[in-house]
Amino acid sequence: MAYDPGAIDATLAAAVGDEPALIAELRESFLDSVRRCVGAMKSAETPDAWAAGALRLKGLAASFGAVRLMALASEAVSGPAHDNAVLRRLHRAIDRL
């Protein structure tokens, strides 16, 4: 799956126009939300809580055009809770955003 580093910025620009400061603020809010979702997954006490965090992450990623992140979140939903390999790949994908 290809990674498009400009997808999030393009999605934000389409929503708010050519407002670099607003785009930067919304991008940071997006990243904060992504990190909270992953944090919720890490601290999940049950498989259902893990899946709920992954579903939130998937929806958030889909809303912003973060295709790779969305695919990883989908994998987390259908896989075992606290899958360290998925968590590592999620962190790498987030770092690339």
Side-chain angles (χ1 to χ4, degrees), residues 6-7 18 20 32 46 49 52 54 56 64 70 72 78 83-84 95:
D18 187 26
D32 288 343
T46 66
R56 283 192 299 275
F64 284 84
M70 185 177 66
L72 288 169
S78 61
D83 184 333
N84 286 325
D95 290 344

Side-chain angles (χ1 to χ4, degrees), residues 12 22-33 35:
L12 292 172
L22 182 55
I23 290 171
E25 184 178 333
L26 291 172
R27 178 181 242 286
E28 191 57 39
S29 292
F30 166 72
L31 290 172
D32 288 343
S33 295
R35 290 180 187 113

Side-chain angles (χ1 to χ4, degrees), residues 37 39 63 74 91:
C37 287
S63 296
S74 183
H91 282 290

Side-chain angles (χ1 to χ4, degrees), residues 37-38 40-56 73 75-84 86-87 90:
C37 287
V38 172
M41 291 169 64
K42 285 181 177 179
S43 65
E45 295 183 7
T46 66
D48 286 343
W50 163 271
L55 283 170
R56 283 192 299 275
E75 184 180 335
V77 170
S78 61
H82 298 282
D83 184 333
N84 286 325
V86 169
L87 286 171
L90 281 169

